[in-house]
Amino acid sequence: MKKYFLLLTFAALFQSCNKKDELLTFRFDSSVDFTVPSAAGVNLPVSIPTPDVQSGAQQSFQNNNTRADLVKNVVLEEIELSITNPPGQDFGFLKEVHLFISASGLPEREIAYATNIPENAGTKLALETTDVALDEYVKQSTYDIRTEVVIREAFFQDVDITADMVFRVTADIL
């Protein structure tokens, strides 16, 4: 009986030790709004800064039983742009769009793009992601997203766009 008890104790201890070595994966969402100004030139890259994005990652880390110092990897898994204004506007006015991330003390990195956007693109546009590691960016309380677009054709109203982003996080469990 004593051997059985010791074996169970050892198994429980071994399992709890292994739990610290387990990785978890979860997702968190973020979004940013920006406006493409109607005065933008045709066939020229136009850089559009956005206000600081509140990361929200700290709360997501806490909700998923981890914290920033235990995060191993963060990548942008998906991103979709949606036109919010003016009504009826679609992405056909764009040739290309590139999104870049930056944060205090960190270099700017391209995180997503679309090239050769079709003229009948619609009001939603999924971008290709670059799979760059973004841990150090989203661990900060804020980061910046800069958008660069190449306009296909002249347009006469500002176009408001929302970028909805889904990040995938891999981290150690608390």
Side-chain angles (χ1 to χ4, degrees):
M1 187 67 150
K2 199 175 194 183
K3 285 184 180 181
Y4 183 70
F5 177 74
L6 286 173
L7 184 61
L8 283 177
T9 304
F10 179 72
L13 183 62
F14 181 73
Q15 186 174 7
S16 69
C17 289
N18 276 349
K19 192 165 198 128
K20 291 182 180 180
D21 294 334
E22 288 181 31
L23 292 177
L24 66 105
T25 300
F26 61 93
R27 288 162 181 75
F28 75 91
D29 301 336
S30 185
S31 66
V32 63
D33 298 319
F34 61 93
T35 300
V36 179
S38 61
V42 176
N43 290 321
L44 299 172
V46 176
S47 183
I48 304 164
T50 64
D52 285 349
V53 177
Q54 296 299 316
S55 171
Q58 300 301 328
Q59 184 63 49
S60 187
F61 297 159
Q62 184 178 358
N63 292 346
N64 286 282
N65 201 27
T66 192
R67 59 182 189 261
D69 63 314
L70 298 175
V71 170
K72 302 293 184 194
N73 190 32
V74 178
V75 294
L76 180 60
E77 189 168 72
E78 50 185 89
I79 181 168
E80 183 178 73
L81 305 182
S82 303
I83 294 179
T84 58
N85 198 39
Q89 178 67 52
D90 64 33
F91 282 104
F93 74 99
L94 292 180
K95 278 181 155 178
E96 298 179 14
V97 61
H98 301 266
L99 271 71
F100 301 87
I101 192 170
S102 62
S104 179
L106 297 171
E108 183 178 76
R109 313 245 349 237
E110 185 171 19
I111 58 170
Y113 64 93
T115 57
N116 301 316
I117 299 170
E119 290 184 39
N120 61 349
T123 60
K124 294 190 180 291
L125 183 64
L127 303 184
E128 295 291 323
T129 61
T130 60
D131 290 330
V132 297
L134 301 173
D135 346 345
E136 297 306 316
Y137 296 85
V138 299
K139 285 178 184 179
Q140 296 193 21
S141 59
T142 63
Y143 54 85
D144 296 310
I145 299 289
R146 181 179 65 83
T147 305
E148 189 174 281
V149 297
V150 177
I151 308 297
R152 170 180 283 119
E153 61 189 39
F155 56 101
F156 304 102
Q157 281 186 293
D158 291 352
V159 179
D160 298 330
I161 298 173
T162 296
D164 292 312
M165 301 173 282
V166 178
F167 294 92
R168 184 181 70 241
V169 178
T170 304
D172 287 326
I173 299 172
L174 280 175

